[in-house]
Amino acid sequence: MDGVTLPDAPWRERPGLDRLTAALGPGMARFVGGAVRDTLLGLAVTDIDLATPHPPERVVELLERAGIRAVPTGIAHGTITAISSGTVVEVTTLRRDVATDGRHATVAYTADWQADAARRDFTINALYADPMSGHVFDYFGGLADLERRHIRFIGDPLQRIAEDHLRILRFFRFLARFGDTPDAAAIAACTARANDLMALSRERIRDELLKLLVARDAVRVAGLMVEHAILKPVLPEIDAGGVARLVDLAGAEALAGIVPDAIRRLAALLPRDAEVNAAAGNRLKLSNAEKQALASAIGDDLDAGPRPLAYRIGTERAIDRLLLAGEPHRAAAIAGWTPPRLPLTGGALIDRGLRKGPDVARALRRVEDQWVAEGFPDAARAGAIADQVVAELLAPGSSA
């Protein structure tokens, strides 16, 4: 696949990008990684990365000379954030690994493009492109792998995983996003080294897992991960039953026309047990909002109907619960629906004769329950319900 050229794409026309590459000098900067890969696949590009043989201090000097802001966001690791006419680009000096411990790497700067490519994880992420000509540089067969959607480690998979244990999860995430046929050597290496995941921070595991769960082929890849016990060291709760629930959920999402959600899909993978789910959420360092969503997803009280449910727990949480219960049509019926507010307050009940105190709150709940049961009628009907409730409470013999 020699002679491949990077296609035109909107991101290549961002203001200030040409000025930035010109400041680094002819042949001294190349686009690398996701921007190149995704452009070749016809996908939208968000982040732009440049690689350069210039040491980081020289990068700062050249950018400032050209009037481009240089922020030393990761200068200790060779990365400068360049801001050129509002366009943000990460500029990183070519590197080679000196030592790794599975979580962090000690690097040395180099002028060798292939040495820089060799320290990257997958062949499809080690593609470079010249900013001027668009010529794509491919040192490890990434173009052929990209064409056949084959996710393959650069070099020995076991060595790549030993350098950074997170690459186990990254492999499956990239397989779910871009891949078709799993690479046998990669699968074998990930299976053999799955216990290495225990050495990673739970935050890193969470971030990769949640991205994976909403990828294009997440369902099939989740099944592959369970089959090979990849997640067992960090999420032993996930088993074949969880994969079956995820298959059902994905089908329900498709029928309802609702975009996949990572926490909803995590809820499908986990057993329907509040304590187990809470433990898994804590282990993954989920945010409080994510933990609440995970806990809410396993409820069963669906009899009142989708809108009353959405009114009580929120539309997003109701959609989660309905989809997980295999009710896509009812979920679709409330997609985009905003629950109304009860058009009166406790003050309206006091105006009708109730004394201030706990009876007002109880009466308001009765009014609200009836108002919800009647399908959220207008203010006039809400007022009539309030009249009825207050009259009953003020009637002779009432305990109110």
Side-chain angles (χ1 to χ4, degrees), residues 120-127 138 140-143 145-146 150-155:
R120 297 177 182 270
D121 47 13
F122 311 118
T123 60
I124 65 169
N125 290 339
L127 299 171
D138 176 15
F140 296 102
L143 287 169
D145 287 337
L146 199 63
H150 188 65
I151 312 303
R152 181 169 59 90
F153 282 101
I154 293 171

PDB file of all heavy atoms in Angstrom, residues 120-127 138 140-143 145-146 150-155:
ATOM      1  N   ARG A 120       4.646   2.579  20.100  1.00  0.00           N
ATOM      2  CA  ARG A 120       3.195   2.734  20.142  1.00  0.00           C
ATOM      3  C   ARG A 120       2.531   1.367  20.265  1.00  0.00           C
ATOM      4  O   ARG A 120       3.170   0.335  20.088  1.00  0.00           O
ATOM      5  CB  ARG A 120       2.707   3.516  18.927  1.00  0.00           C
ATOM      6  CG  ARG A 120       3.272   4.938  18.924  1.00  0.00           C
ATOM      7  CD  ARG A 120       2.903   5.770  17.711  1.00  0.00           C
ATOM      8  NE  ARG A 120       3.531   7.073  17.794  1.00  0.00           N
ATOM      9  CZ  ARG A 120       2.990   8.150  18.371  1.00  0.00           C
ATOM     10  NH1 ARG A 120       1.760   8.069  18.890  1.00  0.00           N
ATOM     11  NH2 ARG A 120       3.631   9.297  18.415  1.00  0.00           N
ATOM     12  N   ASP A 121       1.223   1.373  20.550  1.00  0.00           N
ATOM     13  CA  ASP A 121       0.575   0.108  20.875  1.00  0.00           C
ATOM     14  C   ASP A 121       0.198  -0.728  19.655  1.00  0.00           C
ATOM     15  O   ASP A 121       0.642  -1.863  19.500  1.00  0.00           O
ATOM     16  CB  ASP A 121      -0.650   0.343  21.765  1.00  0.00           C
ATOM     17  CG  ASP A 121      -1.562   1.458  21.273  1.00  0.00           C
ATOM     18  OD1 ASP A 121      -1.412   1.926  20.117  1.00  0.00           O
ATOM     19  OD2 ASP A 121      -2.445   1.872  22.057  1.00  0.00           O
ATOM     20  N   PHE A 122      -0.632  -0.173  18.756  1.00  0.00           N
ATOM     21  CA  PHE A 122      -1.172  -0.962  17.646  1.00  0.00           C
ATOM     22  C   PHE A 122      -0.702  -0.382  16.314  1.00  0.00           C
ATOM     23  O   PHE A 122      -0.453   0.813  16.188  1.00  0.00           O
ATOM     24  CB  PHE A 122      -2.703  -0.975  17.690  1.00  0.00           C
ATOM     25  CG  PHE A 122      -3.255  -1.321  19.047  1.00  0.00           C
ATOM     26  CD1 PHE A 122      -4.041  -0.426  19.746  1.00  0.00           C
ATOM     27  CD2 PHE A 122      -2.962  -2.550  19.630  1.00  0.00           C
ATOM     28  CE1 PHE A 122      -4.532  -0.736  21.003  1.00  0.00           C
ATOM     29  CE2 PHE A 122      -3.439  -2.869  20.885  1.00  0.00           C
ATOM     30  CZ  PHE A 122      -4.223  -1.958  21.573  1.00  0.00           C
ATOM     31  N   THR A 123      -0.637  -1.253  15.338  1.00  0.00           N
ATOM     32  CA  THR A 123      -0.141  -0.824  14.023  1.00  0.00           C
ATOM     33  C   THR A 123      -0.987   0.306  13.437  1.00  0.00           C
ATOM     34  O   THR A 123      -0.454   1.210  12.787  1.00  0.00           O
ATOM     35  CB  THR A 123      -0.137  -1.999  13.042  1.00  0.00           C
ATOM     36  OG1 THR A 123      -1.476  -2.502  12.897  1.00  0.00           O
ATOM     37  CG2 THR A 123       0.768  -3.118  13.536  1.00  0.00           C
ATOM     38  N   ILE A 124      -2.302   0.293  13.679  1.00  0.00           N
ATOM     39  CA  ILE A 124      -3.164   1.323  13.091  1.00  0.00           C
ATOM     40  C   ILE A 124      -3.016   2.664  13.793  1.00  0.00           C
ATOM     41  O   ILE A 124      -3.515   3.685  13.290  1.00  0.00           O
ATOM     42  CB  ILE A 124      -4.646   0.897  13.089  1.00  0.00           C
ATOM     43  CG1 ILE A 124      -5.186   0.767  14.516  1.00  0.00           C
ATOM     44  CG2 ILE A 124      -4.841  -0.384  12.300  1.00  0.00           C
ATOM     45  CD1 ILE A 124      -6.696   0.604  14.582  1.00  0.00           C
ATOM     46  N   ASN A 125      -2.329   2.680  14.958  1.00  0.00           N
ATOM     47  CA  ASN A 125      -2.077   3.934  15.663  1.00  0.00           C
ATOM     48  C   ASN A 125      -0.681   4.477  15.398  1.00  0.00           C
ATOM     49  O   ASN A 125      -0.314   5.523  15.937  1.00  0.00           O
ATOM     50  CB  ASN A 125      -2.250   3.735  17.173  1.00  0.00           C
ATOM     51  CG  ASN A 125      -3.697   3.527  17.560  1.00  0.00           C
ATOM     52  OD1 ASN A 125      -4.603   3.897  16.829  1.00  0.00           O
ATOM     53  ND2 ASN A 125      -3.918   2.928  18.729  1.00  0.00           N
ATOM     54  N   ALA A 126       0.094   3.770  14.592  1.00  0.00           N
ATOM     55  CA  ALA A 126       1.470   4.177  14.313  1.00  0.00           C
ATOM     56  C   ALA A 126       1.608   4.676  12.876  1.00  0.00           C
ATOM     57  O   ALA A 126       2.605   4.411  12.208  1.00  0.00           O
ATOM     58  CB  ALA A 126       2.421   3.015  14.575  1.00  0.00           C
ATOM     59  N   LEU A 127       0.592   5.378  12.410  1.00  0.00           N
ATOM     60  CA  LEU A 127       0.599   5.956  11.068  1.00  0.00           C
ATOM     61  C   LEU A 127       0.871   7.452  11.170  1.00  0.00           C
ATOM     62  O   LEU A 127       0.284   8.137  12.001  1.00  0.00           O
ATOM     63  CB  LEU A 127      -0.749   5.716  10.375  1.00  0.00           C
ATOM     64  CG  LEU A 127      -1.148   4.251  10.174  1.00  0.00           C
ATOM     65  CD1 LEU A 127      -2.584   4.151   9.687  1.00  0.00           C
ATOM     66  CD2 LEU A 127      -0.198   3.570   9.187  1.00  0.00           C
ATOM     67  N   ASP A 138       4.154   4.486   7.038  1.00  0.00           N
ATOM     68  CA  ASP A 138       3.660   3.286   7.706  1.00  0.00           C
ATOM     69  C   ASP A 138       4.830   2.338   7.910  1.00  0.00           C
ATOM     70  O   ASP A 138       5.360   1.770   6.954  1.00  0.00           O
ATOM     71  CB  ASP A 138       2.571   2.633   6.838  1.00  0.00           C
ATOM     72  CG  ASP A 138       2.071   1.318   7.406  1.00  0.00           C
ATOM     73  OD1 ASP A 138       2.331   1.029   8.593  1.00  0.00           O
ATOM     74  OD2 ASP A 138       1.415   0.564   6.659  1.00  0.00           O
ATOM     75  N   PHE A 140       4.855  -0.390  10.161  1.00  0.00           N
ATOM     76  CA  PHE A 140       4.552  -1.719  10.696  1.00  0.00           C
ATOM     77  C   PHE A 140       3.280  -2.333  10.102  1.00  0.00           C
ATOM     78  O   PHE A 140       2.622  -3.148  10.743  1.00  0.00           O
ATOM     79  CB  PHE A 140       4.428  -1.647  12.227  1.00  0.00           C
ATOM     80  CG  PHE A 140       5.702  -1.256  12.909  1.00  0.00           C
ATOM     81  CD1 PHE A 140       5.877   0.037  13.381  1.00  0.00           C
ATOM     82  CD2 PHE A 140       6.742  -2.162  13.048  1.00  0.00           C
ATOM     83  CE1 PHE A 140       7.057   0.407  14.000  1.00  0.00           C
ATOM     84  CE2 PHE A 140       7.927  -1.795  13.662  1.00  0.00           C
ATOM     85  CZ  PHE A 140       8.099  -0.505  14.143  1.00  0.00           C
ATOM     86  N   GLY A 141       2.942  -1.969   8.881  1.00  0.00           N
ATOM     87  CA  GLY A 141       1.803  -2.596   8.226  1.00  0.00           C
ATOM     88  C   GLY A 141       0.454  -2.117   8.718  1.00  0.00           C
ATOM     89  O   GLY A 141      -0.547  -2.822   8.569  1.00  0.00           O
ATOM     90  N   GLY A 142       0.406  -0.920   9.254  1.00  0.00           N
ATOM     91  CA  GLY A 142      -0.844  -0.391   9.776  1.00  0.00           C
ATOM     92  C   GLY A 142      -1.889  -0.131   8.709  1.00  0.00           C
ATOM     93  O   GLY A 142      -3.092  -0.294   8.950  1.00  0.00           O
ATOM     94  N   LEU A 143      -1.455   0.264   7.521  1.00  0.00           N
ATOM     95  CA  LEU A 143      -2.417   0.548   6.445  1.00  0.00           C
ATOM     96  C   LEU A 143      -3.159  -0.727   6.030  1.00  0.00           C
ATOM     97  O   LEU A 143      -4.383  -0.708   5.852  1.00  0.00           O
ATOM     98  CB  LEU A 143      -1.699   1.162   5.242  1.00  0.00           C
ATOM     99  CG  LEU A 143      -1.245   2.616   5.415  1.00  0.00           C
ATOM    100  CD1 LEU A 143      -0.321   3.024   4.279  1.00  0.00           C
ATOM    101  CD2 LEU A 143      -2.445   3.556   5.496  1.00  0.00           C
ATOM    102  N   ASP A 145      -3.575  -3.374   7.889  1.00  0.00           N
ATOM    103  CA  ASP A 145      -4.435  -3.755   9.011  1.00  0.00           C
ATOM    104  C   ASP A 145      -5.682  -2.887   9.062  1.00  0.00           C
ATOM    105  O   ASP A 145      -6.780  -3.376   9.361  1.00  0.00           O
ATOM    106  CB  ASP A 145      -3.666  -3.640  10.330  1.00  0.00           C
ATOM    107  CG  ASP A 145      -2.628  -4.746  10.500  1.00  0.00           C
ATOM    108  OD1 ASP A 145      -2.794  -5.800   9.860  1.00  0.00           O
ATOM    109  OD2 ASP A 145      -1.667  -4.550  11.259  1.00  0.00           O
ATOM    110  N   LEU A 146      -5.517  -1.616   8.750  1.00  0.00           N
ATOM    111  CA  LEU A 146      -6.662  -0.720   8.757  1.00  0.00           C
ATOM    112  C   LEU A 146      -7.660  -1.111   7.669  1.00  0.00           C
ATOM    113  O   LEU A 146      -8.879  -1.103   7.895  1.00  0.00           O
ATOM    114  CB  LEU A 146      -6.184   0.721   8.542  1.00  0.00           C
ATOM    115  CG  LEU A 146      -7.130   1.846   8.947  1.00  0.00           C
ATOM    116  CD1 LEU A 146      -7.399   1.815  10.442  1.00  0.00           C
ATOM    117  CD2 LEU A 146      -6.546   3.200   8.549  1.00  0.00           C
ATOM    118  N   HIS A 150      -8.097  -5.002  11.156  1.00  0.00           N
ATOM    119  CA  HIS A 150      -7.390  -5.980  11.978  1.00  0.00           C
ATOM    120  C   HIS A 150      -6.605  -5.219  13.044  1.00  0.00           C
ATOM    121  O   HIS A 150      -5.734  -4.407  12.723  1.00  0.00           O
ATOM    122  CB  HIS A 150      -6.436  -6.797  11.098  1.00  0.00           C
ATOM    123  CG  HIS A 150      -5.805  -7.957  11.795  1.00  0.00           C
ATOM    124  ND1 HIS A 150      -6.522  -9.037  12.260  1.00  0.00           N
ATOM    125  CD2 HIS A 150      -4.500  -8.213  12.093  1.00  0.00           C
ATOM    126  CE1 HIS A 150      -5.698  -9.910  12.811  1.00  0.00           C
ATOM    127  NE2 HIS A 150      -4.475  -9.429  12.731  1.00  0.00           N
ATOM    128  N   ILE A 151      -6.912  -5.470  14.318  1.00  0.00           N
ATOM    129  CA  ILE A 151      -6.225  -4.778  15.407  1.00  0.00           C
ATOM    130  C   ILE A 151      -5.078  -5.661  15.874  1.00  0.00           C
ATOM    131  O   ILE A 151      -5.301  -6.765  16.384  1.00  0.00           O
ATOM    132  CB  ILE A 151      -7.182  -4.473  16.579  1.00  0.00           C
ATOM    133  CG1 ILE A 151      -8.473  -3.844  16.064  1.00  0.00           C
ATOM    134  CG2 ILE A 151      -6.486  -3.579  17.601  1.00  0.00           C
ATOM    135  CD1 ILE A 151      -8.271  -2.582  15.267  1.00  0.00           C
ATOM    136  N   ARG A 152      -3.864  -5.143  15.694  1.00  0.00           N
ATOM    137  CA  ARG A 152      -2.671  -5.961  15.947  1.00  0.00           C
ATOM    138  C   ARG A 152      -1.642  -5.131  16.710  1.00  0.00           C
ATOM    139  O   ARG A 152      -1.407  -3.959  16.394  1.00  0.00           O
ATOM    140  CB  ARG A 152      -2.099  -6.422  14.606  1.00  0.00           C
ATOM    141  CG  ARG A 152      -0.873  -7.298  14.677  1.00  0.00           C
ATOM    142  CD  ARG A 152      -0.574  -7.907  13.298  1.00  0.00           C
ATOM    143  NE  ARG A 152      -0.345  -6.904  12.281  1.00  0.00           N
ATOM    144  CZ  ARG A 152       0.863  -6.387  11.988  1.00  0.00           C
ATOM    145  NH1 ARG A 152       1.934  -6.778  12.668  1.00  0.00           N
ATOM    146  NH2 ARG A 152       0.985  -5.496  11.029  1.00  0.00           N
ATOM    147  N   PHE A 153      -1.066  -5.745  17.735  1.00  0.00           N
ATOM    148  CA  PHE A 153       0.013  -5.085  18.460  1.00  0.00           C
ATOM    149  C   PHE A 153       1.233  -4.925  17.556  1.00  0.00           C
ATOM    150  O   PHE A 153       1.480  -5.744  16.666  1.00  0.00           O
ATOM    151  CB  PHE A 153       0.426  -5.906  19.687  1.00  0.00           C
ATOM    152  CG  PHE A 153      -0.512  -5.783  20.855  1.00  0.00           C
ATOM    153  CD1 PHE A 153      -1.436  -6.781  21.124  1.00  0.00           C
ATOM    154  CD2 PHE A 153      -0.459  -4.677  21.691  1.00  0.00           C
ATOM    155  CE1 PHE A 153      -2.293  -6.689  22.212  1.00  0.00           C
ATOM    156  CE2 PHE A 153      -1.313  -4.573  22.780  1.00  0.00           C
ATOM    157  CZ  PHE A 153      -2.238  -5.580  23.043  1.00  0.00           C
ATOM    158  N   ILE A 154       2.014  -3.889  17.815  1.00  0.00           N
ATOM    159  CA  ILE A 154       3.299  -3.739  17.144  1.00  0.00           C
ATOM    160  C   ILE A 154       4.301  -4.662  17.854  1.00  0.00           C
ATOM    161  O   ILE A 154       4.486  -4.578  19.068  1.00  0.00           O
ATOM    162  CB  ILE A 154       3.783  -2.280  17.217  1.00  0.00           C
ATOM    163  CG1 ILE A 154       2.864  -1.378  16.395  1.00  0.00           C
ATOM    164  CG2 ILE A 154       5.226  -2.162  16.722  1.00  0.00           C
ATOM    165  CD1 ILE A 154       3.128   0.097  16.585  1.00  0.00           C
ATOM    166  N   GLY A 155       4.895  -5.561  17.102  1.00  0.00           N
ATOM    167  CA  GLY A 155       5.876  -6.467  17.700  1.00  0.00           C
ATOM    168  C   GLY A 155       5.225  -7.531  18.571  1.00  0.00           C
ATOM    169  O   GLY A 155       4.121  -8.004  18.296  1.00  0.00           O
TER     170      GLY A 155
END
